[in-house]
Amino acid sequence: MLKLVNLMGYEKRSTSRLSGGQQQRVAIARALVNHPKVLLLDEPLGALDLKLRKEMQIELKRIQERLEITFIYVTHDQEEALTMSDTVVVMNGGKIQQIGSPVDIYNEPVNAFVADFIGESNILNGLMIKDRLVEISGRQFECVDGGFGENTAVDVVIRPEDIKLIDPDEAQLNGIVESVIFKGVHYEMLIDAYDYRWIVHSTQAAEKGSAVGLSFGPYDIHIMHKMEKNEFAEEVKGNEN
């Protein structure tokens, strides 16, 4: 087991003299030595710094694939859940909100709670005019969803990375750039438009205070059944607890 977790040569060393990452490897080896069919890992990397956590994520995935046993991995880290999982189960208050692949959970959330919990989202009030046509902030946009009825209140999710900033004269939705934050691989901008603060991720930064247009396509718009504000607040509060 020490060989499996890359700790050969540390057999005689006290665990108190090991690094945080090495101690986690020892804990995993102790759990695996009994050859379980299912291994539950409850926030196993929570105490590690970011670099060690990412290294251990890769290590755990390698071990799981080599041993071919089921890992049930509990985490509040959304990126970790998407990175490591074959199947994601989003839960809140003991209730399953959605089960699916990481791609499905991210791209097709079933309600506002899942959309807000898994990644950053713009969650807006919308009106489903008819199949494949939704109204946002008084403007109508083509989408790819249907089956919600006509003139039905819905929640609309648009991911920050799916929004493009264009010339205001060419856009249906215009706003003012409130803030610009450099995140390393992209800029995060808050755009004040029609009583909503839009989150936009882009590799190109707009100037703070400038007017911009917001552009997105039919496949960037995700329609969900309406979750009432008090219901959504209770969901979020339950997650924080």
Side-chain angles (χ1 to χ4, degrees):
M1 284 301 163
L2 289 178
K3 183 178 180 181
L4 181 67
V5 298
N6 290 328
L7 282 179
M8 290 295 291
Y10 291 85
E11 295 89 341
K12 303 297 183 181
R13 185 173 299 187
S14 168
T15 53
S16 63
R17 294 177 57 207
L18 299 177
S19 68
Q22 290 170 334
Q23 290 180 16
Q24 291 295 94
R25 293 169 190 265
V26 171
I28 293 164
R30 286 171 173 165
L32 292 174
V33 74
N34 294 317
H35 300 284
K37 293 182 179 179
V38 179
L39 181 63
L40 172 64
L41 299 103
D42 189 356
E43 303 275 7
L45 309 181
L48 303 181
D49 63 40
L50 181 60
K51 184 178 179 181
L52 265 180
R53 230 159 69 212
K54 290 189 177 296
E55 290 177 358
M56 286 303 301
Q57 288 174 13
I58 297 171
E59 197 70 17
L60 282 172
K61 191 68 177 175
R62 179 188 66 80
I63 292 170
Q64 186 271 327
E65 290 173 347
R66 179 173 175 181
L67 295 181
E68 296 184 336
I69 66 176
T70 299
F71 279 15
I72 299 177
Y73 194 99
V74 182
T75 179
H76 282 82
D77 187 318
Q78 297 92 330
E79 181 182 344
E80 195 166 80
L82 295 174
T83 300
M84 299 188 64
S85 302
D86 300 305
T87 300
V88 178
V89 182
V90 181
M91 300 185 69
N92 182 55
K95 297 179 181 178
I96 294 175
Q97 302 292 313
Q98 185 173 354
I99 302 175
S101 70
V103 173
D104 289 340
I105 293 287
Y106 187 83
N107 288 332
E108 298 295 338
V110 296
N111 58 39
F113 173 80
V114 176
D116 187 67
F117 188 75
I118 300 294
E120 292 185 278
S121 299
N122 295 289
I123 304 175
L124 307 114
N125 294 318
L127 184 68
M128 203 69 185
I129 304 300
K130 60 181 181 179
D131 286 355
R132 293 175 290 282
L133 184 66
V134 64
E135 182 178 299
I136 306 170
S137 298
R139 278 76 172 167
Q140 294 185 2
F141 297 86
E142 292 183 1
C143 60
V144 296
D145 293 309
F148 291 87
E150 295 185 0
N151 298 315
T152 304
V154 292
D155 283 326
V156 180
V157 169
I158 304 175
R159 295 291 189 184
E161 65 271 19
D162 291 332
I163 300 173
K164 294 179 176 62
L165 298 183
I166 62 175
D167 190 298
D169 294 333
E170 301 175 0
Q172 286 185 270
L173 295 175
N174 298 325
I176 303 297
V177 180
E178 281 193 355
S179 68
V180 180
I181 300 173
F182 181 58
K183 293 277 190 172
V185 295
H186 65 259
Y187 293 92
E188 179 175 285
M189 290 165 280
L190 293 181
I191 314 294
D192 186 12
Y194 305 94
D195 298 321
Y196 185 82
R197 298 178 75 198
W198 294 69
I199 307 171
V200 178
H201 290 169
S202 175
T203 55
Q204 300 294 321
E207 186 178 345
K208 183 178 178 180
S210 63
V212 295
L214 305 176
S215 175
F216 39 84
Y219 285 93
D220 301 323
I221 301 171
H222 308 287
I223 308 298
M224 304 172 301
H225 289 289
K226 191 70 179 171
M227 179 177 280
E228 297 300 328
K229 284 186 177 180
N230 58 343
E231 182 184 358
F232 178 67
E234 289 176 4
E235 296 282 7
V236 173
K237 183 178 179 182
N239 173 54
E240 290 173 348
N241 291 338

